[in-house]
Amino acid sequence: MSLGFLIRLQILWTLYDVQKIYYPLLAAVGVPVNIVTIAILSRGKCGLSKCVTHYLMEMAVADLLVIIIDLILRQIPIVYREQFSFVQSIQVCNIHAILLYAATDCSVWFTVTFTFDRCVAICCQKLKTKYCTEKTAAVVLGTVAVLSCFKNSFWYFLYTNEYWLSNNPWFCRVAFNVSRSLVWTIIELMHYILTPFIPFIFILLFNALTVRHIIVASRGRRRLQDQSHGERSNDPGMGNRRKSMILLLVISGNFMLLWAVFLVSSILRRLDYLGYPISLPTFVSEIGLMLQLLSCCTNTFIYVVTQRKFKEELKNGVRYSLAMMVKLIR
């Protein structure tokens, strides 16, 4: 065996040991922070519009479902396969696959729809009053959820109902001739193109349009102020747009950064099966999966940093919880 192979193998086994700590810790953090986010946003006291609040709350719900269905019910049993060997006798894996992929699609595409909503709100003032409403947000998010379930229903027929506790993207048992077939390869490649390759393109496009509009508008307003009085007064409208842009760019940038490795490794793995040998070491795929799951736990911290009123609501909630605990102890 070559030295390079031994090094890659050592990195992989080390990564498996890290996952035994990383995944339970991520679950222990991810579940409560998303529940807290949902609770705070549902109160509607964060200074955000009802439309934005609806998007952010549903994104938190989708992230919570991914943590439960993917991280807790798939990844943790895989890394602790000896303790969870009984899972292989539970024959619902193909149903689990539909729920997992649908929840992941919702988590990704809810981010896309939020990005588009903010792009419309900032760039298209005439369309804003009709599109950027709570009712429209509910219809858009509901449509995405239904389409995600429909799109992933075919996994019920491609997977078997038996679990395969292995560090492999296919956590259900699949016949070897099926998984290596051209039909399967094309279907899975399209699956990864739809989530998250196309969302990457959309997010980049919408963010580029938003940033361009804000830069052009800011220059225009500065010129008008300079021509009128030579003084620059505070502009609440531009200030609100900048805050929206910061929130938008941080959320979408965080999503793209944490999904990038998973996207590249998934597509290259399938291209390798199609006869284009551009394979990556296995540990790269594992790192991509770890980062992808991390993306479901970070939005709460983004809101704390970028949204003052969200931070205040969180502090009030913590104080109230501590006061209740002290009262119960006494």
Side-chain angles (χ1 to χ4, degrees):
M1 289 185 288
S2 66
L3 179 61
F5 176 79
L6 291 175
I7 293 174
R8 289 196 297 270
L9 189 62
Q10 183 60 46
I11 294 173
L12 183 61
W13 284 111
T14 302
L15 203 58
Y16 288 163
D17 290 335
V18 171
Q19 287 175 344
K20 290 182 178 180
I21 301 172
Y22 175 79
Y23 283 144
L25 181 62
L26 195 62
V29 173
V31 171
V33 297
N34 278 291
I35 291 175
V36 167
T37 299
I38 295 167
I40 292 175
L41 291 173
S42 64
R43 289 167 55 84
K45 296 182 179 181
C46 296
L48 301 169
S49 68
K50 291 183 178 180
C51 175
V52 171
T53 299
H54 203 54
Y55 278 110
L56 298 184
M57 190 163 64
E58 293 307 317
M59 286 162 62
V61 171
D63 287 343
L64 178 62
L65 289 176
V66 172
I67 291 170
I68 294 172
I69 299 172
D70 193 350
L71 180 56
I72 297 176
L73 298 182
R74 179 173 78 150
Q75 298 304 327
I76 292 179
I78 286 176
V79 297
Y80 287 99
R81 63 178 65 85
E82 294 178 359
Q83 292 82 1
F84 286 87
S85 58
F86 66 89
V87 171
Q88 292 177 307
S89 63
I90 304 174
Q91 299 187 349
V92 293
C93 193
N94 46 3
I95 298 174
H96 185 178
I98 295 174
L99 297 176
L100 188 157
Y101 294 134
T104 303
D105 281 3
C106 286
S107 178
V108 172
W109 282 96
F110 285 174
T111 304
V112 176
T113 55
F114 170 68
T115 307
F116 178 71
D117 177 87
R118 292 301 83 198
C119 180
V120 171
I122 294 172
C123 302
C124 308
Q125 293 300 307
K126 292 182 179 179
L127 184 59
K128 175 183 176 180
T129 54
K130 295 182 179 179
Y131 183 83
C132 300
T133 63
E134 188 178 12
K135 182 178 179 180
T136 301
V139 171
V140 170
L141 293 168
T143 302
V144 169
V146 171
L147 290 177
S148 296
C149 292
F150 177 76
K151 172 235 174 186
N152 290 292
S153 60
F154 62 82
W155 292 111
Y156 182 88
F157 305 100
L158 293 176
Y159 283 153
T160 67
N161 60 4
E162 298 178 2
Y163 284 93
W164 180 21
L165 292 183
S166 174
N167 265 299
N168 192 296
W170 315 322
F171 64 105
C172 304
R173 289 192 178 276
V174 182
F176 182 82
N177 61 330
V178 174
S179 65
R180 297 286 173 150
S181 68
L182 181 61
V183 173
W184 171 284
T185 302
I186 292 173
I187 288 175
E188 193 180 24
L189 187 60
M190 290 301 299
H191 171 70
Y192 289 122
I193 288 175
L194 287 171
T195 305
F197 181 74
I198 292 178
F200 265 53
I201 303 300
F202 281 151
I203 288 173
L204 282 172
L205 175 63
F206 297 148
N207 281 338
L209 292 173
T210 302
V211 171
R212 179 181 176 276
H213 177 85
I214 288 179
I215 291 173
V216 171
S218 297
R219 289 174 179 172
R221 286 173 182 267
R222 279 198 295 267
R223 282 197 298 268
L224 287 174
Q225 289 172 352
D226 291 339
Q227 291 172 2
S228 57
H229 303 291
E231 298 179 358
R232 293 185 181 180
S233 58
N234 293 328
D235 189 338
M238 287 303 299
N240 291 334
R241 289 190 183 93
R242 288 193 189 97
K243 290 179 182 178
S244 294
M245 185 183 71
I246 291 171
L247 178 62
L248 170 64
L249 293 181
V250 174
I251 289 176
S252 55
N254 171 74
F255 163 76
M256 296 181 69
L257 179 66
L258 295 179
W259 271 82
V261 178
F262 177 83
L263 169 65
V264 172
S265 61
S266 299
I267 291 179
L268 289 184
R269 180 175 58 83
R270 261 308 161 188
L271 289 175
D272 184 41
Y273 286 178
L274 283 171
Y276 301 95
I278 325 173
S279 60
L280 293 173
T282 305
F283 69 81
V284 176
S285 299
E286 292 294 330
I287 292 173
L289 187 58
M290 292 167 70
L291 292 175
Q292 178 234 314
L293 290 170
L294 177 62
S295 69
C296 297
C297 307
T298 53
N299 280 352
T300 302
F301 302 101
I302 291 173
Y303 304 151
V304 169
V305 173
T306 61
Q307 301 296 307
R308 180 180 58 82
K309 290 187 177 181
F310 183 92
K311 185 177 181 178
E312 290 174 357
E313 286 290 305
L314 180 60
K315 286 182 178 178
N316 293 336
V318 171
R319 291 194 191 101
Y320 178 77
S321 300
L322 290 175
M324 290 299 295
M325 288 175 63
V326 172
K327 188 176 180 180
L328 288 173
I329 293 172
R330 291 178 178 176

